[in-house]
Amino acid sequence: MTTNEPAQEPRNLQDRLTERSLKVIVADDQATVREPLAAVLDMTEDIDVVAAAADGTEVLAAVAATPVDVVLMDLRMPVMDGTEATRRLSEDHPGTAVVVLTTFADDDSILAALSAGARGYLTKNAGRKDIVRAIRAAAAGQSVLDHEVQNRLLDTVRTRPPADAQPLPSDLTRREREVLTLIGQGLPNQAIAEKLFISEATVKTHINNLFAKAGIRDRADAVRRAIAAGLA
């Protein structure tokens, strides 16, 4: 869908979907991965793949030429790797979200990508539905981590808890603390909803309120804060 309205940052995913398709760039140095993935995603009704890139410099050039909502980013690429490209996008184009899609799920790669500003991190075992879900979530300002990645992140943070984590604010509601606890345990929104017998939309509302009150940046930061507070 298209619109003649001036370009704005919609407040939520529904706003984006009703206004226009999500503009996406697929970045991977292997053409045998990049081209089929771009073709499959482009067939999704609310996704418009506007470019395919073979390295980080091509990503930056493409985003500078045509603002996009999400870059699906491989990490190990020549000329400029995905982590550096993510960092530069976060600095120069903060309205563009990055979802990492890579074969690498080691601690250093995960932490480097998330620290650089990636909103999602998937391994290449992810299916089309998982990738589409991550793109939509990232465009809405949410984070999606592959189950394996989230478990590794949990293990890493538990063994190396953040020394500078701020205490949680006293005005968190009981439900917000419950949601934070379950995020810290690695549960996705759907599982949290089932655990608390509430809708997934209500979970998202609690997460938005929680993040705003506690100054939490993203889901990875929420995991760190939950562990530092002894909730997970």
Side-chain angles (χ1 to χ4, degrees):
M1 297 175 64
T2 59
T3 177
N4 294 323
E5 296 287 329
Q8 297 178 350
E9 283 297 318
R11 293 182 61 85
N12 54 50
L13 179 58
Q14 188 59 43
D15 290 337
R16 285 183 180 271
L17 296 184
T18 54
E19 290 186 8
R20 56 179 171 80
S21 296
L22 300 176
K23 297 186 182 300
V24 174
I25 290 175
V26 175
D28 195 297
D29 64 325
Q30 298 182 37
T32 54
V33 174
R34 180 178 68 246
E35 294 174 4
L37 179 58
V40 168
L41 291 176
D42 204 39
M43 291 189 292
T44 304
E45 183 178 2
D46 60 320
I47 291 177
D48 179 16
V49 177
V50 298
D55 60 61
T57 60
E58 291 186 8
V59 170
L60 296 179
V63 173
T66 305
V68 302
D69 298 293
V70 180
V71 176
L72 194 62
M73 185 88 75
D74 187 22
L75 288 184
R76 307 293 170 88
M77 296 184 292
V79 186
M80 180 188 294
D81 66 24
T83 301
E84 179 60 23
T86 299
R87 182 175 292 107
R88 295 197 188 186
L89 283 174
S90 297
E91 293 172 354
D92 300 335
H93 303 278
T96 297
V98 173
V99 174
V100 171
L101 181 65
T102 181
T103 57
F104 301 96
D106 58 281
D107 296 347
D108 290 342
S109 295
I110 295 168
L111 293 174
L114 294 177
S115 297
R119 284 193 194 153
Y121 197 113
L122 304 176
T123 66
K124 288 184 177 177
N125 293 326
R128 174 183 169 276
K129 289 183 178 179
D130 293 326
I131 295 171
V132 169
R133 180 170 62 92
I135 289 172
R136 290 170 177 162
Q142 302 165 7
S143 297
V144 173
L145 302 178
D146 182 276
H147 185 66
E148 176 188 355
V149 169
Q150 184 143 352
N151 285 340
R152 290 190 70 92
L153 180 62
L154 285 168
D155 291 341
T156 300
V157 175
R158 286 188 177 114
T159 56
R160 288 183 284 172
D164 59 347
Q166 297 296 316
L168 295 175
S170 59
D171 61 342
L172 290 186
T173 66
R174 176 181 60 83
R175 185 64 90 191
E176 288 164 356
R177 284 182 173 272
E178 289 174 342
V179 169
L180 181 57
T181 298
L182 295 174
I183 291 175
Q185 293 173 2
L187 272 63
N189 288 0
Q190 183 178 358
I192 293 173
E194 293 172 356
K195 190 89 171 176
L196 297 179
F197 301 102
I198 57 179
S199 70
E200 193 168 350
T202 301
V203 171
K204 292 177 182 177
T205 298
H206 286 311
I207 289 175
N208 289 337
N209 293 339
L210 164 65
F211 281 22
K213 288 181 181 179
I216 295 174
R217 298 186 303 275
D218 50 36
R219 209 172 186 91
D221 189 32
V223 171
R224 298 186 188 98
R225 295 288 293 277
I227 292 171
L231 298 179

